[in-house]
Amino acid sequence: PAVGRISLDNDFVYFGEEFLVMRIPKTGGAPQTVVSTNGRVSALHVDPGIGWVFWGEKEGGVRGMRAAFGSPVLTFQPPASGREVNSVGWDGTRVLWADCLQPGNTNCRIRQRQLGITRSLVVGTVGIRHLQWDPASLYWGDASYLRRYLR
């Protein structure tokens, strides 16, 4: 299987491989399976500050867990028919992700889950990818330009 979606913490390189989230020590060694997923991994983010790994799935699911073996998996968005998650992350207070209707990468949206509530921040653009943020703004690229959402 092909390696995709790479993220780092202080000690490990994490990567998605089809239905697995895996990690390998930065110093070398054998890869370890962190979790076997319900969907094919299409987005990955590790937050070393809180010790969590988050992933999105080609089948629309968004999940996360502590980056420790045997930790329970939390679901932030269940699988959503026809949607693919292409970016996921944690900004210090909430889980953020972008997903798009497939095929065609249309009707994209940026969503957040905070305090048990999911809401859409942006809806309807084409090709949203590469979410990044700072304390004041959320940034992403889409099919036509670089965009910004003020928080």
Side-chain angles (χ1 to χ4, degrees), residues 63-149:
R63 304 182 197 279
M65 64 181 278
R66 289 207 172 277
F69 297 107
S71 296
V73 173
L74 298 180
T75 299
F76 302 104
Q77 173 173 279
S81 181
R83 300 199 74 84
E84 180 177 332
V85 176
N86 55 46
S87 191
V88 67
W90 171 259
D91 75 350
T93 60
R94 60 192 173 170
V95 180
L96 295 162
W97 67 90
D99 64 19
C100 296
L101 191 60
Q102 299 300 327
N105 230 14
T106 61
N107 190 26
C108 298
R109 60 192 182 181
I110 297 173
R111 305 191 84 199
Q112 72 170 25
R113 178 106 176 149
Q114 184 176 27
L115 301 174
I117 299 169
T118 300
R119 75 181 184 106
S120 295
L121 303 177
V122 175
V123 177
T125 62
V126 176
I128 291 176
R129 292 203 180 280
H130 310 297
L131 292 178
Q132 296 291 310
W133 48 85
D134 63 20
S137 301
L138 175 65
Y139 300 88
W140 68 92
D142 66 20
S144 62
Y145 202 67
L146 176 64
R147 308 282 181 191
R148 177 176 149 198
Y149 176 88

Side-chain angles (χ1 to χ4, degrees), residues 26-81:
K26 288 181 177 177
T27 57
Q32 307 162 332
T33 300
V34 177
V35 66
S36 178
T37 66
N38 293 326
R40 292 169 291 165
V41 177
S42 59
L44 185 64
H45 175 78
V46 175
D47 191 300
I50 62 170
W52 275 68
V53 58
F54 301 91
W55 66 93
E57 300 168 350
K58 286 188 181 272
E59 296 78 11
V62 177
R63 304 182 197 279
M65 64 181 278
R66 289 207 172 277
F69 297 107
S71 296
V73 173
L74 298 180
T75 299
F76 302 104
Q77 173 173 279
S81 181

